[in-house]
Amino acid sequence: MARRDGIAALAMLLVAGAALYESAKLPFGVARNPGPGFVPWWIGLALGALSVVLGVQALRAGGAAAPAAGAARSRWGRVAGLLVALALYVTALAPLGYAISTFLLVLLMLRPLMRGAPASALGLAALAAGGSYLLFAVWLKVPLPPGPFGR
Amino acid sequence: MEILSLLAGGFAVALTPTNLMYCFIGSFIGTAIGVLPGLGPPATIALLLPVTYGIPATSAVILLAGIFYGAMYGGSTTSILLNIPGEAASVVTCLDGYQMARQGRAGAALAISAIGSFIAGTVSVIGLMLLAPPLASFALRFGAPENFALLVLGLMMVGYLGGGSMTKGLIMALFGLLLGMVGLDPIMGSPRFTYGVWKLSEGFEFVLVAMGLFGIGEVLVNVEKRVAPDVLKTKIGGLLASRGEWREAGMPLARGSLLGFLIGVLPGGGAIISSFVAYALEKKLSRHPERFGKGAVAGVAGPESANNAAATSSFIPLLTLGIPGNASIALIFAALLIHGIRPGPLLVAERPEVFWGLIASMYIGNVMLLVLNLPLITLWVKLLEVPYVVLAPFIVVFVLVGAYSVNNSVFDVGTTVVFGALGYALRKFDFEPAPLVLAMILGPQLEAALRRSLIGARGDLTVFFQRPIAATLMVLAILMLLSPLARRLLRARFQDVAG
């Protein structure tokens, strides 16, 4: 817990530093006529101060967290895998179109089901892609990316 | 008398077939997501926001509000039957509700919970109806300094009451304020933090942020920790509590309703805190505190009525002051903004059909939920049998297509995924995303109020302490900020004296 808070404090300190640096580039103004950089600068400063407080609290609490167990690491792998799949989906959405890329994404997410019941996985992927297409593209008239087979 | 005629007007709006349908859909979806762990009201409201773009504002708010208070009803079902809180506000119901189910009193627990929720919800709607209009009239006196002080106090309360560490709550609020500043500066219109990306000049679309943080973020967390629920094969039996059980539930229901209503009004208060406070209060007041955790009726009646009352009363700061007290209400705030309606003191006077239509729909929704909940319990339990591995892709697809439909833009889908990753990281580091979302939505208002106050007072910072309302609010905010420090000093002093 304390170690995680320490890491979080450092990350937030970086965000605060970036906010201070970036807002310093904007016109600061004066108290009777504050400019666009005025409020973000003060918020960056307050965020930095609170990050230091969090860091101090973490240091006082002390004690490193237990190292990640194998199971936890493999579960984290699932999260990383899904994030990569989502990033690929964003990249593929325009060139492949909504229906194909969504079908592939869902199929990828249903990998555990693919091992035992591939037909169900394929059916569910088709249902998710087709059903959402019908709801959004046909019913709600959202112009979803058509892909290589579209107009 | 005037209130009754306004309420009659509200019923005329809420009882149209279209609005009745939206009220039913909202209550039904709310109950379903309340039952399902891993998909909370903020995520569901975020998911459905794009669907509401094409429907009238009143219908949209009736639908989304139904989801919010419906989830409070649904959450208790799985807490009682399966020891799985479908909703964070129902965690405490597990303690005694599940024990009642194990003792073969599941039907009584469910009946007390559903009828208690109905009574509390209705009491809270009456309170909302009576309190909101005078509060809105009072808030009309607010100028920029009062608005700034109110927003500061609101954010401070969200950090203070939002659960967990106050330092982390405030860090999230400040981070949210910074994110809310991306785009054009609200006074001069010059771009900030846009880095030449024209898409960012209008700032981060709130809907995308919410869908990412609550939709994708929750899926990522659940994908990591998913374990199969241990389903108790209990017999629900008759859905009637005995006369003795009702007698036992009476006062806890009344206290829970009142307590929940009061806590729900506070920004950051809401359903979760009220259920815990109600449980603690009932245990303290009970002549048999040893029965708590072993199937005490008061342990179900108190928290369940409190969380429903709080869910309804949390609309008060939104509808009267324009301050959303929690993430779900912030999303309803966003839905109203999308429809060109600014929640706040002018809402009651300028858009009475929205305000009174919503209030009337809450009365109707509470009746619908009571009718829906008990007969459909077997359906809700069946719903839990859908494995998460099947549910998760559907949630993700709905989020992604919803994100795309906001502006028909792939960039928006990417933004949602990035905020999803951020939501996951925040939860891993024990940060609550709710203060971030609230601060993000209130950020531009807060900045505009601060700068207008300073311009008006020629840079005199004491302007926030010269006017009585602003001064009171600022003093409360400062006291709240200093309270953890004061508590620590008092504890140290006490230990010194004792030592």
Side-chain angles (χ1 to χ4, degrees):
Chain A
M1 181 77 168
R3 192 167 146 232
R4 272 190 299 169
D5 281 358
I7 296 169
L10 265 179
M12 283 300 157
L13 203 56
L14 277 176
V15 173
L20 284 170
Y21 178 75
E22 290 297 328
S23 50
K25 291 184 196 167
L26 299 163
F28 189 80
V30 286
R32 66 175 176 278
N33 188 19
F38 184 85
V39 178
W41 191 87
W42 281 105
I43 290 176
L45 193 70
L47 183 60
L50 277 173
S51 305
V52 171
V53 171
L54 183 65
V56 171
Q57 284 172 348
L59 278 177
R60 277 195 184 164
R73 224 176 294 134
S74 78
R75 287 200 296 266
W76 197 89
R78 275 190 240 165
V79 175
L82 180 53
L83 278 172
V84 170
L86 287 169
L88 288 173
Y89 177 81
V90 175
T91 319
L93 194 54
L96 286 186
Y98 176 78
I100 297 175
S101 41
T102 304
F103 177 80
L104 292 175
L105 174 73
V106 176
L107 206 59
L108 208 69
M109 288 184 74
L110 289 170
R111 262 176 320 160
L113 205 65
M114 276 293 277
R115 279 177 226 130
S120 307
L122 286 166
L124 282 168
L127 179 71
S132 58
Y133 186 85
L134 279 177
L135 176 65
F136 280 87
V138 179
W139 189 46
L140 295 171
K141 308 266 184 262
V142 176
L144 295 173
F149 308 114
R151 276 167 290 165
Chain B
M1 226 27 212
E2 195 200 346
I3 275 190
L4 288 180
S5 78
L6 290 165
L7 184 63
F11 271 105
V13 172
L15 284 171
T16 58
T18 314
N19 286 338
L20 270 179
M21 180 188 77
Y22 283 118
C23 186
F24 175 78
I25 295 174
S27 307
F28 187 85
I29 295 178
T31 311
I33 58 117
V35 168
L36 284 171
L39 188 63
T44 314
I45 295 173
L47 252 66
L48 288 179
L49 264 186
V51 178
T52 64
Y53 291 174
I55 63 176
T58 311
S59 306
V61 79
I62 285 174
L63 171 79
L64 300 178
I67 293 172
F68 179 50
Y69 58 75
M72 301 302 138
Y73 276 75
S76 59
T77 306
T78 44
S79 292
I80 291 166
L81 293 180
L82 309 169
N83 204 23
I84 302 167
E87 251 316 290
S90 300
V91 168
V92 82
T93 309
C94 287
L95 299 175
D96 286 281
Y98 185 64
Q99 289 306 321
M100 284 179 77
R102 288 180 75 98
Q103 294 158 12
R105 294 155 67 209
L110 289 166
I112 287 168
S113 161
I115 293 169
S117 298
F118 169 74
I119 294 170
T122 310
V123 166
S124 198
V125 182
I126 295 171
L128 164 64
M129 183 180 78
L130 296 175
L131 198 65
L135 195 58
S137 309
F138 176 69
L140 281 173
R141 292 189 226 159
F142 287 14
E146 285 79 11
N147 278 330
F148 174 74
L150 181 68
L151 290 166
V152 169
L153 177 65
L155 287 177
M156 209 61 84
M157 286 179 97
V158 169
Y160 186 74
L161 298 172
S165 139
M166 186 174 178
T167 312
K168 286 184 169 179
L170 291 178
I171 284 177
M172 279 299 94
L174 291 168
F175 189 28
L177 287 175
L178 278 177
L179 287 174
M181 278 166 199
V182 173
L184 299 181
D185 146 48
I187 304 278
M188 296 162 98
S190 46
R192 288 187 300 197
F193 314 124
T194 54
Y195 306 101
V197 182
W198 69 268
K199 278 263 184 197
L200 289 179
S201 60
E202 285 183 16
F204 288 117
E205 194 89 43
F206 179 72
V207 183
L208 304 176
V209 175
M211 283 202 284
L213 286 175
F214 296 109
I216 304 272
E218 274 189 26
V219 169
L220 288 168
V221 169
N222 285 314
V223 159
E224 188 185 30
K225 72 169 185 207
R226 208 70 210 160
V227 283
D230 177 22
V231 178
L232 170 75
K233 298 284 180 205
T234 182
K235 201 165 182 278
I236 296 173
L239 283 168
L240 284 176
S242 68
R243 193 172 290 183
E245 283 170 327
W246 278 120
R247 230 190 340 261
E248 228 179 298
M251 282 314 285
L253 278 180
R255 282 191 290 263
S257 304
L258 186 67
L259 191 75
F261 179 81
L262 294 174
I263 294 178
V265 175
L266 305 173
I272 302 170
I273 296 181
S274 66
S275 62
F276 279 93
V277 175
Y279 188 84
L281 180 74
E282 290 310 324
K283 194 171 175 182
K284 190 135 193 118
L285 293 177
S286 173
R287 264 180 267 170
H288 301 285
E290 72 284 355
R291 285 190 199 161
F292 278 71
K294 293 171 189 159
V297 169
V300 174
E304 275 304 309
S305 49
N307 67 29
N308 276 275
T312 305
S313 66
S314 58
F315 279 87
I316 292 178
L318 173 79
L319 299 174
T320 58
L321 307 171
I323 293 192
N326 57 55
S328 302
I329 298 285
L331 286 155
I332 295 173
F333 181 109
L336 285 166
L337 287 184
I338 287 164
H339 281 90
I341 298 169
R342 176 158 281 281
L346 292 171
L347 180 79
V348 186
E350 286 180 353
R351 299 299 297 266
E353 80 286 2
V354 175
F355 179 82
W356 291 102
L358 174 64
I359 296 223
S361 81
M362 286 175 168
Y363 283 107
I364 299 165
N366 271 300
V367 177
M368 280 181 178
L369 283 164
L370 184 66
V371 177
L372 261 182
N373 246 289
L374 295 178
L376 292 184
I377 277 167
T378 42
L379 173 74
W380 304 134
V381 174
K382 275 260 175 292
L383 191 64
L384 267 176
E385 288 171 13
V386 178
Y388 196 75
V389 70
V390 172
L391 202 60
F394 282 86
I395 298 171
V396 167
V397 166
F398 218 76
V399 170
L400 296 175
V401 70
Y404 181 85
S405 71
V406 173
N407 295 309
N408 302 330
S409 151
V410 175
F411 180 85
D412 287 355
V413 181
T415 305
T416 307
V417 171
V418 169
F419 275 98
L422 177 68
Y424 168 77
L426 291 179
R427 285 176 178 87
K428 290 301 287 180
F429 285 94
D430 298 317
F431 283 97
E432 273 294 320
L436 181 150
V437 169
L438 299 183
M440 198 181 153
I441 205 165
L442 295 176
Q445 270 175 268
L446 182 120
E447 181 177 9
L450 172 66
R451 286 168 67 182
R452 285 203 184 104
S453 305
L454 288 176
I455 291 167
R458 294 170 185 267
D460 182 6
L461 278 167
T462 60
V463 66
F464 302 111
F465 298 93
Q466 285 168 358
R467 299 158 64 137
I469 299 172
T472 310
L473 296 169
M474 285 303 278
V475 168
L476 284 174
I478 291 167
L479 286 176
M480 202 158 279
L481 181 67
L482 295 178
S483 64
L485 193 69
R487 229 177 6 231
R488 203 169 303 151
L489 286 174
L490 279 174
R491 204 181 300 144
R493 186 88 180 251
F494 180 74
Q495 278 167 355
D496 280 352
V497 172

